[in-house]
Protein backbone atom coordinates (compact mmCIF):
# COMPACT_ATOMS: atom_id res chain seq x y z
CA UNK A 1 0.00 0.00 0.00
CA UNK A 2 1.03 3.57 -0.62
CA UNK A 3 -0.40 6.31 1.61
CA UNK A 4 -0.27 10.09 1.99
CA UNK A 5 -1.43 11.75 5.21
CA UNK A 6 -3.17 15.09 4.75
CA UNK A 7 -3.32 17.16 7.96
CA UNK A 8 -5.29 20.40 7.69
CA UNK A 9 -6.33 23.13 10.12
CA UNK A 10 -9.63 25.00 9.96
CA UNK A 11 -10.03 26.86 6.67
CA UNK A 12 -7.04 25.20 5.00
CA UNK A 13 -7.51 23.18 1.86
CA UNK A 14 -5.63 20.60 -0.13
CA UNK A 15 -5.84 22.19 -3.58
CA UNK A 16 -7.82 20.96 -6.52
CA UNK A 17 -6.19 18.06 -8.30
CA UNK A 18 -7.02 14.80 -10.05
CA UNK A 19 -5.45 11.38 -10.51
CA UNK A 20 -5.22 8.83 -13.28
CA UNK A 21 -6.51 6.15 -10.88
CA UNK A 22 -9.30 5.56 -8.37
CA UNK A 23 -8.27 6.01 -4.75
CA UNK A 24 -9.60 5.93 -1.19
CA UNK A 25 -9.49 8.88 1.19
CA UNK A 26 -9.78 7.71 4.82
CA UNK A 27 -10.95 10.62 6.96
CA UNK A 28 -9.99 9.69 10.52
CA UNK A 29 -10.26 13.05 12.34
CA UNK A 30 -12.48 16.07 11.80
CA UNK A 31 -14.99 17.38 9.31
CA UNK A 32 -14.23 18.34 5.71
CA UNK A 33 -15.88 19.61 2.59
CA UNK A 34 -14.79 17.71 -0.50
CA UNK A 35 -15.53 19.35 -3.80
CA UNK A 36 -15.59 16.87 -6.68
CA UNK A 37 -16.09 18.26 -10.17
CA UNK A 38 -17.76 21.35 -8.65
CA UNK A 39 -20.09 19.47 -6.29
CA UNK A 40 -19.60 20.09 -2.53
CA UNK A 41 -20.20 17.29 -0.01
CA UNK A 42 -19.57 17.39 3.76
CA UNK A 43 -17.96 14.37 5.44
CA UNK A 44 -17.33 13.73 9.13
CA UNK A 45 -14.83 11.24 10.53
CA UNK A 46 -14.63 8.37 10.64
CA UNK A 47 -15.43 7.57 7.02
CA UNK A 48 -13.90 6.33 3.79
CA UNK A 49 -14.45 8.07 0.48
CA UNK A 50 -13.60 6.46 -2.86
CA UNK A 51 -12.84 9.08 -5.49
CA UNK A 52 -12.96 7.89 -9.07
CA UNK A 53 -10.11 8.66 -11.44
CA UNK A 54 -9.98 11.83 -13.55
CA UNK A 55 -12.33 13.77 -11.21
CA UNK A 56 -11.07 17.18 -10.06
CA UNK A 57 -11.27 17.25 -6.24
CA UNK A 58 -10.39 19.54 -3.35
CA UNK A 59 -10.48 18.95 0.42
CA UNK A 60 -11.26 21.82 2.83
CA UNK A 61 -11.11 21.50 6.63
CA UNK A 62 -14.30 22.66 8.39
CA UNK A 63 -13.40 21.59 11.95
CA UNK A 64 -10.47 22.77 14.10
CA UNK A 65 -8.33 20.18 12.33
CA UNK A 66 -8.71 17.19 10.05
CA UNK A 67 -6.52 14.21 9.34
CA UNK A 68 -7.12 12.14 6.26
CA UNK A 69 -5.09 9.55 4.43
CA UNK A 70 -5.13 8.89 0.71
CA UNK A 71 -4.66 5.16 0.20
CA UNK A 72 -3.60 3.48 -3.03
CA UNK A 73 -3.03 -0.19 -3.80
CA UNK A 74 0.40 -0.74 -5.36
CA UNK A 75 0.61 -2.89 -8.47
CA UNK A 76 4.21 -2.71 -9.64
CA UNK A 77 5.43 0.22 -7.55
CA UNK A 78 7.22 1.94 -10.44
CA UNK A 79 4.85 4.79 -11.30
CA UNK A 80 2.06 6.34 -9.26
CA UNK A 81 -0.20 6.11 -12.33
CA UNK A 82 0.11 2.32 -12.20
CA UNK A 83 -0.47 1.69 -8.51
CA UNK A 84 -4.19 0.92 -8.69
CA UNK A 85 -6.00 -1.38 -11.11
CA UNK A 86 -9.55 0.05 -11.40
CA UNK A 87 -10.85 -3.35 -12.53
CA UNK A 88 -10.07 -4.65 -9.03
CA UNK A 89 -12.34 -2.08 -7.33
CA UNK A 90 -15.92 -3.40 -6.92
CA UNK A 91 -18.79 -1.00 -7.46
CA UNK A 92 -20.09 -1.12 -3.89
CA UNK A 93 -22.74 1.49 -4.62
CA UNK A 94 -24.60 -1.16 -6.62
CA UNK A 95 -24.05 -4.03 -4.17
CA UNK A 96 -26.16 -3.60 -1.02
CA UNK A 97 -24.42 -6.37 0.90
CA UNK A 98 -21.09 -4.54 0.59
CA UNK A 99 -22.39 -1.82 2.91
CA UNK A 100 -22.62 -4.42 5.66
CA UNK A 101 -18.86 -4.93 5.27
CA UNK A 102 -17.95 -1.21 5.06
CA UNK A 103 -20.80 0.62 6.82
CA UNK A 104 -18.96 3.93 7.11
CA UNK A 105 -17.91 4.10 3.47
CA UNK A 106 -19.06 6.64 0.93
CA UNK A 107 -18.48 5.90 -2.73
CA UNK A 108 -18.25 8.82 -5.11
CA UNK A 109 -18.48 8.31 -8.85
Amino acid sequence: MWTRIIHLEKGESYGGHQHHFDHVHLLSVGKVKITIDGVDTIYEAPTQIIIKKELEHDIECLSDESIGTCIHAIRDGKRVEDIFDPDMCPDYAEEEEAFAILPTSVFVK
Side-chain angles (χ1 to χ4, degrees):
M1 300 298 294
W2 178 86
T3 64
R4 171 177 282 159
I5 295 174
I6 299 171
H7 180 231
L8 300 171
E9 294 183 8
K10 190 169 191 164
E12 291 183 329
S13 65
Y14 189 75
H17 61 286
Q18 58 180 302
H19 305 282
H20 299 292
F21 45 85
D22 297 345
H23 71 288
V24 176
H25 184 79
L26 171 61
L27 180 62
S28 50
V29 173
K31 185 176 183 179
V32 298
K33 175 176 71 176
I34 297 184
T35 304
I36 300 175
D37 274 355
V39 177
D40 296 337
T41 307
I42 307 296
Y43 299 95
E44 194 161 352
T47 192
Q48 300 178 85
I49 304 127
I50 292 181
I51 301 173
K52 296 292 188 177
K53 66 181 179 179
E54 310 299 337
L55 297 179
E56 183 78 17
H57 56 284
D58 176 75
I59 303 167
E60 179 183 348
C61 180
L62 300 177
S63 53
D64 289 339
E65 71 171 337
S66 66
I67 300 173
T69 305
C70 288
I71 303 170
H72 307 278
I74 297 174
R75 292 194 307 192
D76 64 17
K78 294 179 183 174
R79 298 181 318 165
V80 76
E81 292 86 6
D82 292 334
I83 61 177
F84 185 84
D85 181 353
D87 292 333
M88 295 177 69
C89 183
D91 188 356
Y92 289 112
E94 295 178 7
E95 299 177 21
E96 290 180 10
E97 63 192 51
F99 287 107
I101 298 168
L102 297 170
T104 61
S105 298
V106 177
F107 298 89
V108 180
K109 291 187 178 186

